Amino acid sequence: MKKTKACRLLHTVLFLLLLMAAGCDRSISKQAVPETPAAANEQPRLSGTILMLTNRIDLIENGTMQRYADQFMKKYPEARVEFEGLSNYATDIMVRLSTKDAGDVLLLPVNLPAKELGYFFEPLSAEMSARERFTTFATFEGKRYGLSTGTTTSGIVYNKKAFQQAGITEIPQTLDEFYAICAKLKQANITPLYMNYGAVWPLREWGNNMVNYMAGNPDYLNDMVHVDDPWQLDNEWGHSIGIARTLIARGYAENELFSNQWEISKSKLAKGEAGMYLSGNWTIRQILDAGAAPEDIGFFPFPYDNGLKHYAPLNPDWFIGVSKFSRNKELSMAWVNFLVKETSYTAEGFLPIDGNREPSMEQYREFLSYHPELVEATVQTDTFIDMANRSKLSFASGDYIQELIAAPDLKKSFDELNEKWKEARALTGVK
């Protein structure tokens, strides 16, 4: 009996020793074949294909976006980036977001309330979003959802040869002088100014964009939520729309107003067949790409009145982020970071994000030489966006600006807008 117990005890001890040995073997095995760590200069292995939606159809068509993607592939050989351009981005992207068919990387809609950013976009890491200039944009409750793709201002992009041909020797400093050079250009059989009425979205420059800086108040639109009747003939709205209506009435804008001539207009301005645009500085690069010589293109602040001092806006360009519905968010984040920080995407056609740096393009230096007072933009509040949506006014698309410019009776159109705004204000309960 004792011998049997001793044998059992011996078997138990041997069994435990075998288990311990097996455990040691497994431990030794793990150490013997370790998972190879990434070298200090080796990039993480990201793979797959992602789709970026953008308004920059020109950069897709001229191969610039693909060149950026090729650079990205050198860093991540198993990654692919595809592109889709939307011609009316501000409107089209809202439809795409509503169907969750917004690709992996996209530009953040400007008319999306901040509180809804988290429904459609992934928050960025603190490291990725550090040193962003426009801190009130693309942010909600301490989380940032997009990176700025550039810093812009608005003014008159012009062809110097067209000015010379029309006998224009001085840049206009007042609105009356501006009308006078338009008359000279028309007399010389040069289209004075392309408003791009048919393309619709450029008309924002003659409406919400202008009123927000000509008042010297970056919160001009936000402050509209506190009044029932913001559209008046004798305020900034009446003045800005009035300028656009005057230009068309005097025949200073393009012919065939209702056709989309955006691409054609760039070629016309590049060749000197048209004199001017009122647009953002990003347009300059596109005019040069359309064939203009850099020395033939200039840029000056728009003299929207006859005063001695003029304001000009300082705005962020579109913000770019990662879709909440992306199936490859890690790769999408890497692409956003790469595009904004490691390519020329944010440098080409934009003002330096760092205000202490000298602009790289001569046209920007010319613009600043006229000493406009720059008004740094603030984000549109959720209250403003909510009231705009309730009023069915698309401030981002420019549709209603087109209607105001064409209105037979501007006061009547303003009264109708004020009525819609008053109803929306009552529904939101804003004081």
Side-chain angles (χ1 to χ4, degrees):
M1 185 68 106
K2 288 182 180 179
K3 189 173 181 180
T4 303
K5 287 182 178 179
C7 288
R8 288 176 180 169
L9 181 60
L10 180 61
H11 290 159
T12 300
V13 171
L14 288 172
F15 180 68
L16 290 172
L17 288 171
L18 286 170
L19 285 176
M20 290 174 66
C24 290
D25 286 344
R26 283 196 294 271
S27 178
I28 291 169
S29 176
K30 285 183 179 179
Q31 293 176 2
V33 190
E35 186 176 318
T36 306
N41 61 350
E42 185 180 338
Q43 298 299 330
R45 291 177 63 85
L46 296 178
S47 62
T49 300
I50 57 174
L51 174 66
M52 176 179 168
L53 303 186
T54 176
N55 65 331
R56 296 303 302 272
I57 298 174
D58 59 311
L59 296 186
I60 296 175
E61 292 179 345
N62 68 18
T64 299
M65 295 305 292
Q66 187 56 52
R67 285 195 292 275
Y68 294 149
D70 291 343
Q71 294 171 24
F72 187 65
M73 283 173 57
K74 292 178 181 177
K75 193 170 186 178
Y76 303 103
E78 298 177 21
R80 299 289 182 275
V81 183
E82 297 177 349
F83 305 96
E84 181 182 346
L86 303 181
S87 58
N88 195 348
Y89 191 90
T91 301
D92 295 345
I93 197 59
M94 297 302 289
V95 177
R96 297 289 289 268
L97 281 174
S98 68
T99 60
K100 301 182 181 180
D101 178 27
D104 300 279
V105 173
L106 64 154
L107 306 177
L108 277 62
V110 294
N111 52 339
L112 185 69
K115 63 185 177 183
E116 295 180 12
L117 286 169
Y119 301 154
F120 300 102
F121 295 92
E122 280 294 302
L124 308 180
S125 67
E127 179 185 7
M128 191 172 173
S129 58
R131 296 183 296 279
E132 280 285 282
R133 178 174 189 165
F134 298 95
T135 56
T136 62
F137 289 78
T139 302
F140 185 67
E141 293 186 341
K143 294 180 180 179
R144 192 168 190 88
Y145 295 90
L147 297 182
S148 172
T149 57
T151 302
T152 71
T153 188
S154 291
I156 298 294
V157 181
Y158 71 103
N159 187 296
K160 295 179 181 179
K161 283 190 173 180
F163 273 36
Q164 185 179 11
Q165 185 178 335
I168 300 167
T169 58
E170 293 186 3
I171 297 302
Q173 301 298 306
T174 67
L175 183 58
D176 285 344
E177 290 175 359
F178 182 77
Y179 287 146
I181 69 165
C182 285
K184 286 186 175 182
L185 287 163
K186 183 179 180 182
Q187 214 168 21
N189 293 319
I190 296 169
T191 302
L193 179 137
Y194 259 90
M195 192 174 288
N196 275 298
Y197 184 90
V200 184
W201 61 265
L203 297 180
R204 292 174 300 183
E205 291 291 350
W206 302 95
N208 37 297
N209 284 6
M210 193 185 298
V211 299
N212 221 29
Y213 69 81
M214 71 191 300
N217 175 17
D219 280 313
Y220 186 92
L221 294 180
N222 289 333
D223 292 344
M224 283 170 52
V225 304
H226 302 298
V227 295
D228 286 336
D229 50 358
W231 284 275
Q232 299 294 331
L233 292 177
D234 59 356
N235 71 2
E236 284 76 11
W237 277 109
H239 190 55
S240 60
I241 299 298
I243 296 172
R245 288 166 64 91
T246 297
L247 290 168
I248 291 177
R250 294 183 182 180
Y252 296 158
E254 69 269 16
N255 295 323
E256 300 178 13
L257 283 174
F258 288 94
S259 62
N260 188 337
Q261 302 183 65
W262 171 245
E263 295 300 329
I264 294 172
S265 69
K266 290 188 288 186
S267 176
K268 294 278 189 182
L269 190 60
K271 294 175 182 176
E273 295 173 10
M276 299 178 286
Y277 269 166
L278 171 61
S279 189
N281 53 264
W282 50 269
T283 312
I284 296 169
R285 172 53 59 190
Q286 296 195 32
I287 303 300
L288 300 181
D289 289 344
E295 62 271 18
D296 291 343
I297 302 301
F299 189 41
F300 62 86
F302 180 52
Y304 47 77
D305 61 23
N306 290 322
L308 298 177
K309 180 179 73 172
H310 291 104
Y311 296 103
L314 193 62
N315 298 322
D317 199 60
W318 292 88
F319 287 82
I320 187 171
V322 173
S323 170
K324 193 84 171 179
F325 313 114
S326 171
R327 295 184 179 179
N328 200 335
K329 293 172 184 172
E330 189 178 5
L331 178 59
S332 298
M333 287 287 183
W335 167 248
V336 168
N337 198 60
F338 178 84
L339 182 67
V340 172
K341 299 180 181 179
E342 299 184 42
T343 73
S344 61
Y345 180 71
T346 60
E348 290 291 333
F350 294 104
L351 292 166
I353 294 177
D354 185 345
N356 295 319
R357 288 176 54 195
E358 183 76 8
S360 60
M361 296 182 75
E362 174 59 34
Q363 292 84 0
Y364 304 161
R365 291 194 287 272
E366 178 190 355
F367 182 91
L368 295 174
S369 73
Y370 296 104
H371 306 293
E373 189 165 330
L374 296 173
V375 180
E376 186 166 324
T378 56
V379 70
Q380 290 180 351
T381 63
D382 282 1
T383 304
F384 173 81
I385 293 173
D386 183 30
M387 286 183 59
N389 290 337
R390 289 176 184 272
S391 305
K392 295 182 171 56
L393 291 175
S394 178
F395 284 87
S397 70
D399 293 306
Y400 78 104
I401 299 296
Q402 188 183 62
E403 295 173 6
L404 290 174
I405 292 173
D409 184 339
L410 184 58
K411 185 180 185 308
K412 181 179 179 182
S413 294
F414 275 178
D415 289 344
E416 290 171 356
L417 287 178
N418 286 329
E419 189 60 34
K420 292 180 181 179
W421 194 253
K422 182 178 180 180
E423 291 174 5
R425 188 163 178 258
L427 289 172
T428 54
V430 180
K431 301 297 183 184

